[in-house]
């Protein structure tokens, strides 16, 4: 996994530099769409097919996209297919998204709750977390009943676990030590 991230990083940085000179939000949407298409099993099989040329792979890939594609994006896909890196697009998109967030002073937050949360609860929790982390957060909420109660929050590599399950695990460690 670390190797894929290392290989994808220069592509993501180069693409971000091009996108910064243009419309960053349009590029962000295009990169997300390209990542979704590249993750499809049929596209992965096409990209690894030795009987299909890089130009054919690029042309087929670009024809599947719904968003309009400019010359820079066409060149980017051409460079990826020429180097056999089209399947790296999901990782490139993730790194591109991280660069965009850093540029905007925002971050993604993954909130895992033991129970379904209302929109008002999510907004209140997000506002509290924004004060703690000092930046605008974009929440994604999932439900995991194994938490028993409370929430688990991930912002980048930071984790705040206030779930009942985490508290029980800490108590177990304390009692068995």
């Amino acid at each position: 996994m670390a190797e894929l991230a290392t290989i994808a990083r220069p592509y993501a940085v180069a693409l971000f530099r091009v996108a910064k000179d243009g419309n960053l939000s349009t590029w962000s949407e295009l990169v997300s769409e390209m990542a979704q298409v590249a993750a499809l099993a049929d596209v992965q099989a096409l990209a690894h097919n030795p009987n299909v040329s890089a130009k054919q792979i690029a042309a087929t890939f670009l024809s599947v996209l719904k968003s309009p594609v400019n010359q820079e994006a066409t060149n980017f896909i051409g460079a990826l297919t020429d180097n056999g890196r089209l399947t790296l697009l999901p990782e490139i998109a993730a790194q591109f998204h991280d660069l965009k967030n850093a540029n905007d002073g925002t971050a993604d937050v993954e909130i895992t709750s033991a129970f379904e949360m209302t929109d008002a609860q999510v907004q209140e929790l997000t506002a509290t977390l924004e004060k703690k982390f000092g930046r605008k957060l974009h929440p994604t909420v999932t439900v995991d009943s194994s938490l028993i109660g409370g929430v688990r929050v991930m912002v980048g590599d930071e984790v705040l676990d206030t779930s009942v399950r985490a508290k029980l695990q800490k108590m177990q460690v304390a009692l068995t030590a």
Side-chain angles (χ1 to χ4, degrees):
M1 184 90 148
E3 184 178 325
L4 291 179
T6 303
I7 295 169
R9 187 171 296 112
Y11 291 104
V13 170
L15 187 59
F16 183 74
R17 286 182 184 153
V18 169
K20 233 176 122 173
D21 294 339
N23 185 339
L24 196 54
S25 62
T26 302
W27 271 100
S28 182
E29 291 171 15
L30 178 61
V31 170
S32 294
E33 181 184 352
M34 289 191 301
Q36 289 172 353
V37 172
L40 296 172
D42 290 341
V43 174
Q44 298 259 334
L46 176 69
H48 293 303
N49 188 339
N51 297 324
V52 182
S53 72
K55 286 186 179 189
Q56 290 172 321
I57 294 170
T60 303
F61 181 83
L62 291 169
S63 70
V64 174
L65 298 175
K66 292 179 182 175
S67 300
V69 180
N70 59 22
Q71 189 59 47
E72 286 116 347
T74 302
N75 293 344
F76 181 72
I77 296 301
L80 288 176
T81 55
D82 287 345
N83 294 308
R85 305 274 195 229
L86 187 65
T87 56
L88 282 179
L89 261 170
E91 178 62 28
I92 292 168
Q95 290 189 26
F96 179 91
H97 187 68
D98 290 344
L99 290 168
K100 181 182 179 296
N101 279 347
N103 183 66
D104 296 344
T106 62
D108 293 327
V109 58
E110 295 177 29
I111 301 169
T112 306
S113 174
F115 302 100
E116 196 72 37
M117 294 177 71
T118 65
D119 289 340
Q121 290 172 322
V122 172
Q123 289 174 354
E124 183 179 338
L125 178 59
T126 302
T128 303
L129 293 170
E130 285 175 350
K131 289 176 188 172
K132 177 174 178 41
F133 289 100
R135 57 188 155 184
K136 178 95 172 104
L137 298 174
H138 305 289
T140 303
V141 181
T142 57
V143 176
D144 180 1
S145 60
S146 71
L147 294 179
I148 303 171
V151 294
R152 183 172 190 265
V153 175
M154 288 181 51
V155 178
D157 59 354
E158 293 184 60
V159 178
L160 299 172
D161 196 342
T162 62
S163 67
V164 173
R165 180 177 68 188
K167 291 176 184 175
L168 290 172
Q169 287 172 342
K170 286 180 188 176
M171 287 172 53
Q172 179 185 14
V173 169
L175 291 172
T176 58

